[in-house]
Amino acid sequence: MAVYTEVSVEDLDALLAKYDIGQVMAFKGIAEGVENSNFYLGTDKGQYILTLYERRVAAGDLPFFLGLMEHLAQKGVNCPLPVQDREGRILQTLAGRPAAFVTFLPGYSLRRPRPAHCHSLGEALARLHLAGRDFALNRDNALSVRGWQELFASIEGLADRLVPKISASLERHLGDIAAHWPTDLPRGVIHADLFPDNVFFLDNRVSGLIDFYFACNDLFAYDLAISMNAWCFEVDGAFNVTKARALFAGYNSVRALEADEVAALPLLARGAAIRFFLTRAFDWFNTPDTAFVKRKDPMEYWRKLAFHDGVKHAGAYGL
């Protein structure tokens, strides 16, 4: 989450006049994340998140994102619910941006998850995958292999500012991953961005999943690889196989991975590292200085890519 577009008191009051969600008690921007402008709203009737959709979020994708949250909630996945105004509308326009309210989830995100947290995350991710199987809408992953190549082209002249000659190495990685990327593994709705700040806990168990604005239809095992990259490396960059083993054990306890999915994990993990290196690098060079958001270091994911380059078998991940 982040704040790119400010909301005036007058505009907020005009928007709230369409809803029956109470009188404002608190309203403030939320700084985490990099995609949309987000605000916490507390009223005398409840707590909500107001999101203004911008940057890479296309207005045409919003029915998928918001409909998916409604669908998952009906299937028992604890996630935010879009809030309807008095006329039954969810999408609004605010400060020139598409906007929507969703319900606020209680819980806390973790800076340093333990293996037990990773196990609970694996269970929650598998439940999400199963719950999304009959969701009626479809959204292709715009940040899969073709999207990575387009992102690389957009920063090719800038990437070497991070590390000299990194562009040549990146081009080789992209070519190799594209040549071997699997297309026949189990697939369906994935979250595609399940970082620790998008997962809430209560009593050391997952209590809610948020930020579905990268959700799409893609490989389940790729979603798991994204989560492994986000949850199973320590602050110093070391891979924690105990956390990875717990993550996969939790996932397998709900939805058992097929043998082909396990075999593909090293390649999928490399792809996941490339994806977040590229989007972070793009944001590194393109985020406005005035934005109320902290840019994330793309080199963190370059180091993770280097680790996965040395993995020849999923046994290195504790499987």
Side-chain angles (χ1 to χ4, degrees):
M1 297 182 177
V3 174
Y4 294 94
T5 301
E6 296 293 344
V7 174
S8 69
V9 173
E10 294 78 12
D11 285 346
L12 178 64
D13 286 344
L15 178 61
L16 287 174
K18 301 177 181 180
Y19 289 82
D20 185 24
I21 58 177
Q23 297 296 313
V24 177
M25 306 294 288
F27 184 72
K28 62 181 180 179
I30 301 173
E32 291 84 0
V34 295
E35 289 305 316
N36 303 309
S37 294
N38 291 272
F39 303 84
Y40 167 82
L41 173 70
T43 77
D44 57 358
K45 290 187 177 181
Q47 300 178 82
Y48 307 90
I49 300 295
L50 169 64
T51 298
L52 276 64
Y53 301 101
E54 44 197 331
R55 294 176 67 80
R56 284 189 291 264
V57 179
D61 288 332
L62 291 175
F64 177 92
F65 300 142
L66 297 170
L68 176 62
M69 285 188 275
E70 290 183 311
H71 176 86
L72 293 176
Q74 292 169 359
K75 293 287 186 176
V77 175
N78 199 13
C79 63
L81 274 174
V83 180
Q84 296 182 359
D85 68 10
R86 291 190 181 94
E87 297 182 5
R89 295 173 299 190
I90 292 173
L91 274 175
Q92 309 286 347
T93 299
L94 182 64
R97 304 285 192 274
F101 286 106
V102 298
T103 54
F104 178 87
L105 292 182
Y108 54 87
S109 57
L110 301 171
R111 291 187 179 274
R112 295 191 177 183
R114 299 191 299 274
H117 299 125
C118 294
H119 190 283
S120 185
L121 172 73
E123 294 176 82
L125 182 59
R127 291 192 185 102
L128 185 159
H129 290 166
L130 294 178
R133 288 181 301 181
D134 57 347
F135 182 52
L137 301 181
N138 185 85
R139 177 179 180 265
D140 291 336
N141 188 357
L143 289 172
S144 189
V145 177
R146 180 180 296 179
W148 305 339
Q149 293 165 333
E150 293 172 355
L151 273 172
F152 172 63
S154 74
I155 64 164
E156 186 173 5
L158 301 172
D160 289 344
R161 295 184 190 176
L162 296 170
V163 175
K165 300 182 180 179
I166 198 174
S167 293
S169 179
L170 185 56
E171 187 172 16
R172 289 194 298 272
H173 278 293
L174 282 169
D176 181 60
I177 290 171
H180 298 94
W181 195 251
T183 58
D184 56 352
L185 300 179
R187 62 189 297 122
V189 172
I190 70 169
H191 185 283
D193 193 38
L194 207 54
F195 278 63
D197 56 356
N198 289 332
V199 182
F200 290 164
F201 286 81
L202 288 172
D203 298 324
N204 293 317
R205 296 282 301 171
V206 171
S207 62
L209 308 176
I210 66 169
D211 204 351
F212 284 81
Y213 302 114
F214 285 107
C216 57
N217 294 81
D218 208 330
L219 307 177
F220 293 143
Y222 173 61
D223 209 14
L224 195 52
I226 290 173
S227 297
M228 178 178 67
N229 279 348
W231 289 74
C232 301
F233 284 84
E234 299 301 327
V235 176
D236 64 0
F239 181 72
N240 189 320
V241 68
T242 303
K243 290 182 179 180
R245 185 179 293 113
L247 173 68
F248 291 121
Y251 189 92
N252 277 320
S253 71
V254 176
R255 176 191 170 265
L257 288 166
E258 297 181 2
D260 287 348
E261 292 179 285
V262 173
L265 277 170
L267 176 63
L268 297 174
R270 289 171 59 205
I274 284 277
R275 178 264 193 254
F276 284 96
F277 170 82
L278 286 168
T279 50
R280 286 187 176 194
F282 180 89
D283 290 332
W284 191 264
F285 295 114
N286 290 281
T287 298
D289 293 337
T290 55
F292 182 44
V293 62
K294 182 180 180 181
R295 294 178 299 177
K296 296 181 178 179
D297 179 14
M299 294 309 297
E300 174 188 348
Y301 270 80
W302 190 255
R303 293 186 287 271
K304 291 177 182 181
L305 175 61
F307 169 79
H308 295 303
D309 274 343
V311 172
K312 305 303 180 186
H313 188 273
Y317 303 140
L319 283 163

